[in-house]
Amino acid sequence: MPAPLRARNLDRDTQLAGRLEVADGLWARFMGLMGRAGLEPDTGLWLTGTNGIHMMFMRFAIDVVFLAKPDAAGDDARTVLSVHRGLRAWTGLVPLVRGANGVLELPVGTIDRSGTVVGDRIALEPAKPE
């Protein structure tokens, strides 16, 4: 199991999640948050290498942030390509986001609390020890 990460908005100096689980395999990405009762505050799921998600079999709403590939020439930050607030459970597929290379699934309200908008740069870093 990959080490947990945290997600920080470098442009707003805010944190999206202090502890992200990482879904980096096909099965883990497919399962995502299905079957869970919810997300704790300041947590989330990082789905690697994907540009789309579904909300089927979900039991709760989430905020979703689609990110580009890391900026290899700079600080490895990822640019926000699309944000979706309060996606409802059981709404089916979310349209694919062109150029996305990963998705943050977060508790509802995270996008507004962090001030995250399209074009912001997000750093994915090792989570601080508990």
Side-chain angles (χ1 to χ4, degrees):
M1 176 177 223
L5 299 173
R6 71 178 182 152
R8 286 189 314 118
N9 185 323
L10 299 175
D11 296 314
R12 313 270 171 211
D13 194 25
T14 56
Q15 183 165 278
L16 282 85
R19 191 161 189 83
L20 291 170
E21 290 180 46
V22 178
D24 61 353
L26 181 62
W27 183 251
R29 286 192 306 264
F30 171 75
M31 289 302 294
L33 297 171
M34 286 190 298
R36 299 186 192 193
L39 280 172
E40 295 294 321
D42 201 35
T43 66
L45 181 66
W46 167 236
L47 300 152
T48 66
T50 189
N51 66 346
I53 64 166
H54 68 86
M55 294 294 291
M56 299 305 294
F57 307 104
M58 288 285 292
R59 297 167 54 187
F60 56 96
I62 57 175
D63 277 2
V64 176
V65 179
F66 287 85
L67 301 177
K69 289 182 178 180
D71 178 13
D75 53 10
D76 282 341
R78 294 171 178 260
T79 301
V80 174
L81 299 177
S82 182
V83 296
H84 299 265
R85 292 170 176 81
L87 287 178
R88 295 185 334 257
W90 284 96
T91 55
L93 295 173
V94 175
L96 299 178
V97 175
R98 182 183 205 120
N101 187 252
V103 179
L104 291 170
E105 295 185 342
L106 305 160
V108 170
T110 301
I111 292 170
D112 289 336
R113 179 186 48 75
S114 66
T116 299
V117 297
V118 171
D120 283 353
R121 295 174 318 117
I122 306 299
L124 299 174
E125 310 163 326
K128 293 183 178 180
E130 293 180 357

